[in-house]
Amino acid sequence: MIRVALVDDQALMRAGFRALLDAEDGIEVVGEAADGERGVELVRAQVPDIALIDVQMPVMTGIEATRRIAADPRLAGVRVVILTNYGVDEYVFEALRAGASGFLLKDTEPADLLQAIEVVARGEALLSPAVTRTLIGEFVSRPPDRSTAPGLECLTRREREVTALAARGLSNEEIAEHMVISPLTAKTHISRAMTKLGARDRAQLVVFAYESGLVTARGA
């Protein structure tokens, strides 16, 4: 059973999501909250598998709520998916930096929402190659923030290479083809890089690549 918490200031939006999720076998909505502060309290009380959190809310934003959830060791197994009306923008990037596992547009098709919940529940990042490329187009030209990024020295040459390729939007299969290795080996390198950098998931690994300057130019 996948346990989900809903955090959104729009009652109609919460009701719509709840009706969809409650109708699905294998998914249970464990609670709702109308602002970020109550959302954090809900997540701490219920420890769901997934928290669907609106990016902009009163009292506390979804970004700050995500940051607090990600910083709580007791909630290490909770995966945050940010809900937004705006597509890929500064809010989304900040949410990923704060610890979100991905994001969904609020007008996502029901089938896509259900699939996304299953993907995140498996521990994967809800950050498709297409979305990653869009993020790169928006943010990769910015000066890297090396003051907040962990150092590259902990990664092997191979791990740096796969991290850079992941940040450019390549899937494991595409990384394997590029490096002439097996997809399993590519996945292993990425997993090791995530462990060394303390990244919660692939989304955090991509953010690290931006922050550290490992990826520094569009299309590079």
Side-chain angles (χ1 to χ4, degrees):
M1 182 69 68
I2 301 173
R3 304 172 73 251
V4 179
L6 300 175
V7 185
D8 195 304
D9 61 324
Q10 297 179 349
L12 186 60
M13 186 64 64
R14 294 198 310 273
F17 278 123
R18 180 160 203 145
L20 174 65
L21 298 178
D22 280 344
E24 189 71 13
D25 292 337
I27 298 178
E28 176 189 7
V29 176
V30 298
E32 302 178 20
D35 63 61
E37 185 174 20
R38 292 183 180 180
V40 174
E41 293 173 357
L42 170 64
V43 171
R44 285 174 176 165
Q46 295 293 334
V47 193
D49 300 302
I50 296 172
L52 295 178
I53 300 181
D54 187 16
V55 70
Q56 291 184 302
M57 290 181 293
V59 184
M60 181 189 294
T61 67
I63 294 171
E64 180 58 27
T66 298
R67 187 175 292 113
R68 295 192 185 192
I69 291 169
D72 191 333
R74 297 169 300 173
L75 305 178
V78 178
R79 293 291 175 257
V80 174
V81 175
I82 290 293
L83 300 170
T84 177
N85 288 317
Y86 309 106
V88 178
D89 59 12
E90 179 67 24
Y91 292 115
V92 169
F93 189 71
E94 289 296 328
L96 293 173
R97 182 187 287 124
S101 293
F103 76 97
L104 284 171
L105 294 175
K106 287 189 175 181
D107 61 358
T108 295
E109 292 293 327
D112 292 335
L113 172 64
L114 296 173
Q115 181 181 23
I117 287 175
E118 292 177 358
V119 166
V120 176
R122 292 197 299 267
E124 301 175 23
L126 186 60
L127 197 64
S128 69
V131 170
T132 305
R133 292 184 184 109
T134 304
L135 283 170
I136 291 168
E138 292 289 333
F139 300 108
V140 78
S141 61
R142 301 182 182 190
D145 185 1
R146 293 186 175 88
S147 64
T148 61
L152 288 171
E153 63 275 1
C154 66
L155 300 183
T156 67
R157 180 182 61 82
R158 281 291 207 183
E159 289 163 356
R160 293 187 195 187
E161 187 175 358
V162 298
T163 298
L165 292 172
R168 290 172 182 142
L170 274 66
S171 65
N172 287 349
E173 289 73 20
E174 290 169 330
I175 291 172
E177 182 177 356
H178 181 89
M179 297 179 65
V180 196
I181 57 178
S182 71
L184 180 59
T185 300
K187 182 178 180 180
T188 299
H189 284 314
I190 287 176
S191 296
R192 287 175 178 169
M194 286 169 51
T195 299
K196 289 181 178 181
L197 297 172
R200 287 166 64 93
D201 52 32
R202 194 184 186 97
Q204 287 279 285
L205 192 66
V206 171
V207 170
F208 163 76
Y210 297 148
E211 297 282 300
S212 66
L214 184 62
V215 177
T216 57
R218 190 183 307 230

